[in-house]
Amino acid sequence: MDNGKHYNIAIDGPSGAGKSTIAKMLSEKLEILYLDTGALYRAVGLKAMRDGWEENDEKVSELIGGIDISVRYDMGTQRVYLDGEDVSEEIRRNIISDYGSRFSALPSVRSALLDLQRKTAAKYSSVLDGRDIGTSVLPNAKYKFYLTASADIRARRRYNELIAKGQSVDYETVRRDIEDRDKRDMTRAVSPLKKAVDAIEIDSGDMSTDEVVNKITEYISK
Ligand code: DC
């Protein structure tokens, strides 16, 4: 697709809208790289939890330069490293969703992770999913999508995912967590979650993942 030229696809949207599943399927279909940017914020959140960082931008700005976050690909699957340790599984814990969201609101954290995202996108044709890809990380991305679904559907999906992974959670807590994260991600001062004016909005609520991927590839091939 796209005559083998370099291009990037930005997929933004709230938690549980299906971004990572769709982005991964899309990257396989189009044979391009997938960068899950939420995983980078989660790695910072994990470090903050482990070391008891205070949620204070001045303090975090002194610490963030001392950590190394990188990604590698194992058979096409992204692995995330924190100071050389593979933390890909640990960052999926529900508590890290909260830490990731809270620390992602700090300007020092956002600017520390910008370079890795932009360099990866510049080097490879890729699909990046996150909250601010189309608005801030890659405002010139060739294709931009904003994926949504109701809070109830997103909470139900996240609950099923966590249960399938053997984590013990209850639906009401997951729903409350989703609403708290939505509010925090959408109202923070720096790069809040919002639809880029030139992004195509897709409500994935009543759609299968295949339908969403087909809809996106239809737009791209137009
Ligand atoms: O997509 P995710 O749930 O793995 O992301 C975890 C948190 O990271 C999310 O609550 C907000 C933050 N995030 C962000 O601020 N900007 C991004 N591009 C991606 C994630």
Side-chain angles (χ1 to χ4, degrees), residues 54-64 103 105-110:
E54 221 179 283
E55 225 175 297
N56 170 308
D57 195 48
E58 215 176 304
K59 294 207 168 129
V60 171
S61 70
E62 288 166 13
L63 298 166
I64 194 92
F103 282 81
L106 303 180
S108 57
V109 172
R110 304 208 70 81

Side-chain angles (χ1 to χ4, degrees), residues 90-146:
E90 201 174 351
I91 58 169
R92 295 295 146 203
R93 288 167 58 202
N94 206 30
I95 189 167
I96 306 301
S97 305
D98 183 56
Y99 271 89
S101 173
R102 286 198 281 122
F103 282 81
S104 73
L106 303 180
S108 57
V109 172
R110 304 208 70 81
S111 71
L113 295 178
L114 202 52
D115 210 38
L116 174 59
Q117 298 173 73
R118 286 196 176 144
K119 279 193 174 142
T120 306
K123 195 162 175 192
Y124 305 101
S125 281
S126 46
V127 46
L128 279 74
D129 77 338
R131 305 293 188 289
D132 62 338
I133 308 302
T135 53
S136 163
V137 178
L138 303 176
N140 298 320
K142 183 149 189 187
Y143 306 105
K144 297 184 187 179
F145 298 91
Y146 189 83

Side-chain angles (χ1 to χ4, degrees), residues 11-221:
I11 303 185
D12 291 303
S15 306
K19 298 184 300 295
S20 56
T21 308
I22 299 300
K24 178 127 197 358
M25 288 169 72
L26 202 56
S27 74
E28 283 163 7
K29 189 165 176 177
L30 302 174
E31 299 183 345
I32 58 176
L33 192 93
Y34 165 42
L35 181 65
D36 166 4
T37 67
L40 311 177
Y41 290 95
R42 287 170 178 268
V44 173
L46 175 62
K47 179 72 180 174
M49 182 183 78
R50 283 180 176 172
D51 289 10
W53 285 6
E54 221 179 283
E55 225 175 297
N56 170 308
D57 195 48
E58 215 176 304
K59 294 207 168 129
V60 171
S61 70
E62 288 166 13
L63 298 166
I64 194 92
I67 68 170
D68 177 41
I69 292 172
S70 59
V71 296
R72 286 177 222 162
Y73 289 86
D74 178 17
M75 316 257 284
T77 299
Q78 175 178 315
R79 309 291 303 176
V80 181
Y81 291 78
L82 170 63
D83 294 327
E85 176 194 350
D86 185 345
V87 293
S88 311
E89 268 81 44
E90 201 174 351
I91 58 169
R92 295 295 146 203
R93 288 167 58 202
N94 206 30
I95 189 167
I96 306 301
S97 305
D98 183 56
Y99 271 89
S101 173
R102 286 198 281 122
F103 282 81
S104 73
L106 303 180
S108 57
V109 172
R110 304 208 70 81
S111 71
L113 295 178
L114 202 52
D115 210 38
L116 174 59
Q117 298 173 73
R118 286 196 176 144
K119 279 193 174 142
T120 306
K123 195 162 175 192
Y124 305 101
S125 281
S126 46
V127 46
L128 279 74
D129 77 338
R131 305 293 188 289
D132 62 338
I133 308 302
T135 53
S136 163
V137 178
L138 303 176
N140 298 320
K142 183 149 189 187
Y143 306 105
K144 297 184 187 179
F145 298 91
Y146 189 83
L147 208 56
T148 58
S150 72
D152 185 45
I153 287 178
R154 292 185 289 117
R156 185 68 54 196
R157 285 178 184 160
R158 184 53 48 101
Y159 171 79
N160 290 338
E161 252 171 54
L162 292 168
I163 292 292
K165 280 186 196 155
Q167 298 190 26
S168 87
V169 285
D170 68 275
Y171 171 75
E172 282 312 320
T173 308
V174 174
R175 164 111 195 199
R176 227 182 6 256
D177 286 352
I178 286 246
E179 282 169 350
D180 288 351
R181 285 175 69 198
D182 281 359
K183 189 162 171 219
R184 203 182 300 122
D185 295 348
M186 288 173 180
T187 57
R188 67 178 174 228
V190 188
S191 304
L193 166 65
K194 66 167 188 259
K195 180 187 159 311
V197 283
D198 51 350
I200 291 158
E201 182 163 344
I202 298 174
D203 186 330
S204 71
D206 299 325
M207 295 169 79
S208 70
T209 50
D210 280 331
E211 284 170 331
V212 177
V213 170
N214 288 340
K215 190 158 185 175
I216 291 180
T217 42
E218 260 169 44
Y219 276 115
I220 291 176
S221 53

